Amino acid sequence: MKFNIDIGHNCPPDGGAVGIRAENHLTMEVGKLVIQKLEALGHTVINCTPTKATSVRDSLQQRVKKSNAVKADLFVSIHFNAFNGQAHGTEVFAISQAGKKYAQNVLNQICSLGFFNRKVKNGLKYFVLRNTKAVAILIECCFCDSKRDMDMYDAEKMATAIVEGLTK
Ligand SMILES: [Zn+2]
């Protein structure tokens, strides 16, 4: 398969949430591992993450443009949530029926690591999901401001769960 991996944020001024750990750092470490693991399985991966932007909107537009230029089978955006320190767990967003299937598979794999299941949710609010032509999902791996989640989090295990969800 041909994958687009979109590593959330990491593109100033698009910086992401900061909790116990920074979303920027978490998405980068998981995203890099996901790319490596997909390539090791023989898949083609195009990294859609830009390195600089004039605004958050521009950062998002660049991601969509990169994706739409290469006709990928699946666009996968990787994020970490933050709320009030108490909220925890995993949720995956999609719009299309095909996207929701992948979203459910990824969610099941991540939740099997022990994260609370916050369900597959409608992704209409996300620019990258609305505007990519590929089937698209956005993964909120867990909460970067939750002690429960950050104590459980392991980059290697998270990346493996995502890849299993995408490919099994
Ligand atoms: Zn994010």
Side-chain angles (χ1 to χ4, degrees), residues 1-159:
M1 275 176 74
K2 191 193 272 189
F3 288 94
N4 284 156
I5 299 299
D6 174 39
I7 298 175
H9 313 289
N10 284 284
C11 181
D14 180 358
V18 178
I20 295 165
R21 294 185 60 186
E23 185 186 5
N24 254 347
H25 180 236
L26 294 165
T27 57
M28 184 56 76
E29 68 180 4
V30 171
K32 280 184 172 169
L33 288 168
V34 167
I35 291 171
Q36 282 172 18
K37 289 171 191 294
L38 285 171
E39 286 177 341
L41 290 171
H43 297 287
T44 302
V45 181
I46 295 106
N47 185 346
C48 290
T49 319
T51 53
K52 60 178 182 181
T54 56
S55 63
V56 172
R57 178 78 176 194
D58 176 46
S59 166
L60 299 176
Q61 280 171 339
Q62 288 187 56
R63 295 164 202 264
V64 167
K65 203 175 164 191
K66 279 195 191 181
S67 173
N68 290 346
V70 296
K71 290 204 170 157
D73 299 301
L74 187 59
F75 175 94
V76 181
S77 189
I78 298 172
H79 287 259
F80 282 72
N81 236 326
F83 185 52
N84 61 1
Q86 298 304 311
H88 59 275
T90 305
E91 54 199 28
V92 186
F93 293 83
I95 297 173
S96 68
Q97 277 310 111
K100 284 177 182 165
K101 261 190 189 169
Y102 284 106
Q104 187 65 55
N105 288 341
V106 169
L107 180 70
N108 292 347
Q109 291 294 332
I110 297 175
C111 291
S112 77
L113 301 176
F115 293 97
F116 178 70
N117 188 331
R118 300 173 65 90
K119 311 289 186 199
V120 169
K121 294 183 176 172
N122 189 312
L124 267 176
K125 67 177 175 177
Y126 289 108
F127 182 89
V128 295
L129 297 183
R130 283 200 313 273
N131 292 287
T132 41
K133 289 178 189 154
V135 174
I137 68 171
L138 186 148
I139 305 167
E140 293 280 6
C141 297
C142 64
F143 282 70
C144 69
D145 65 344
S146 156
K147 184 172 188 311
R148 181 190 191 276
D149 281 1
M150 286 296 99
D151 284 351
M152 198 174 350
Y153 166 77
D154 174 271
E156 188 71 35
K157 285 182 188 164
M158 182 64 75

